[in-house]
Amino acid sequence: PKGVVMKDLNKEYRIYAADVEATGLLHHLVEQGDKAKLHNLCVMDIVDCNMTTFHTDTEQQRKDIQGLLDQPTIFIMHNGICYDKNALKHFGYDVSKVIFVDTLALSWYLDLNRDKHGLENYGEEFGVPKPAIVDWESLTQQDYDHRVQEDVKIQYRTYKKLKGMFEELYKHEIFVSNSINELVNITFQEKDYATHNFLQWYVAEQIEEEATAKTILDKINLIGDDKGGLYLFDRDIQQIAVAASAAAPK
């Protein structure tokens, strides 16, 4: 968020896969006025996988939510920056101390060829389907809680998959680097200096590509030791992800 400086990242951040359920999209909440409701907020600690579901029916329950938001916290959410963050603000919660990492944008960045980037599609992939809704008007609080909890399970698995994809990306960059180095070695052995000079552009480019992949992977691996690592990682690729999202399917 705006205003975060390096010394803030040394705090002991708690990182959660998170989701909310409300009575509609942002424009619906505005149209509903006083009838709009935040049904719940569910968070899962990515370290111990403990899950907590917050409700909003009493003043104490609302204070409990704000108490969480006032802590050094990172929320990993799908479409979290566009929806969940603003939904919480709509209902009067102060989210200024929360760092939001949006896996929808990261999915666009990592896998442009994926047909669908929604949480439902990821749930089908992981074998954790989103609960089917036939009649939104008849849902109980238990239904909303089940829905948000299943979404958080999917969110957690989505985060783990993205981390794995970066690890594979880095392995590929190492393979390409080794292949180019082998070609350079052959040109020396054959005294083919023209080809050697030609390959220098590829060497320089690959050094940069490998360094970029390693930097991103290192920052992902900081999660759990330096809780600011996830924020740094998200910030570093944010501009690329935003550019990719302009042409990506939703």
Side-chain angles (χ1 to χ4, degrees):
K2 185 177 181 180
V4 170
V5 294
M6 285 304 297
K7 65 178 181 179
D8 295 325
L9 298 177
N10 294 324
K11 297 177 181 177
E12 186 67 15
Y13 279 88
R14 296 291 295 274
I15 305 178
Y16 299 98
D19 191 39
V20 304
E21 287 290 326
T23 50
L25 301 177
L26 294 177
H27 68 278
H28 294 142
L29 301 181
V30 174
E31 294 169 356
Q32 292 163 6
D34 293 339
K35 294 182 179 180
K37 181 180 180 181
L38 180 68
H39 294 296
N40 49 38
L41 163 66
C42 183
V43 299
M44 175 190 283
D45 191 304
I46 68 165
V47 176
D48 57 26
C49 293
N50 284 335
M51 181 183 291
T52 304
T53 303
F54 296 88
H55 299 114
T56 64
D57 296 316
T58 69
E59 182 63 25
Q60 184 57 53
Q61 288 174 336
R62 292 188 287 273
K63 287 182 179 179
D64 290 342
I65 292 177
Q66 189 59 59
L68 173 65
L69 300 176
D70 286 339
Q71 301 303 312
T73 302
I74 296 175
F75 278 175
I76 305 172
M77 309 181 90
H78 212 67
N79 201 30
I81 293 177
C82 289
Y83 178 73
D84 301 77
K85 176 180 180 180
N86 289 295
L88 288 167
K89 291 171 66 176
H90 176 82
F91 289 107
Y93 294 100
D94 180 3
V95 297
S96 60
K97 296 179 182 179
V98 180
I99 294 172
F100 290 84
V101 174
D102 197 329
T103 51
L104 177 59
L106 300 183
S107 177
W108 283 331
Y109 168 68
L110 282 168
D111 195 357
L112 289 175
N113 295 321
R114 187 183 183 92
D115 291 334
K116 297 180 181 178
H117 295 264
L119 207 59
E120 180 176 5
N121 186 256
Y122 274 106
E124 293 173 357
E125 177 181 337
F126 301 138
V128 186
K130 288 173 69 73
I133 305 299
V134 178
D135 182 7
W136 285 92
E137 299 296 327
S138 64
L139 293 183
T140 65
Q141 184 63 53
Q142 184 177 5
D143 292 329
Y144 283 115
D145 289 350
H146 177 59
R147 180 176 173 82
V148 77
Q149 289 162 6
E150 294 304 293
D151 281 357
V152 167
K153 293 176 185 178
I154 300 169
Q155 181 65 78
Y156 171 75
R157 288 166 173 78
T158 301
Y159 152 72
K160 299 294 285 186
K161 176 179 181 178
L162 293 174
K163 182 174 183 289
M165 291 179 72
F166 266 112
E167 291 171 344
E168 290 301 316
L169 171 65
Y170 180 59
K171 289 179 183 178
H172 176 71
E173 293 300 339
I174 292 293
F175 171 77
V176 173
S177 295
N178 290 338
S179 298
I180 294 175
N181 291 338
E182 181 63 24
L183 288 174
V184 172
N185 185 51
I186 291 174
T187 63
F188 269 120
Q189 294 177 358
E190 299 295 329
K191 297 182 179 181
D192 185 352
Y193 301 117
T195 302
H196 170 76
N197 291 335
F198 172 75
L199 288 173
Q200 293 312 299
W201 182 87
Y202 292 95
V203 171
E205 284 295 306
Q206 187 55 29
I207 289 174
E208 182 178 348
E209 291 293 327
E210 183 178 327
T212 298
K214 183 63 165 61
T215 297
I216 294 174
L217 181 59
D218 283 346
K219 287 179 178 177
I220 295 176
N221 286 329
L222 284 174
I223 299 170
D225 296 322
D226 175 3
K227 296 301 197 283
L230 186 57
Y231 167 68
L232 291 173
F233 152 64
D234 186 59
R235 185 188 62 181
D236 284 350
I237 69 170
Q238 182 180 23
Q239 291 181 342
I240 300 175
V242 169
S245 70
K250 296 184 179 180

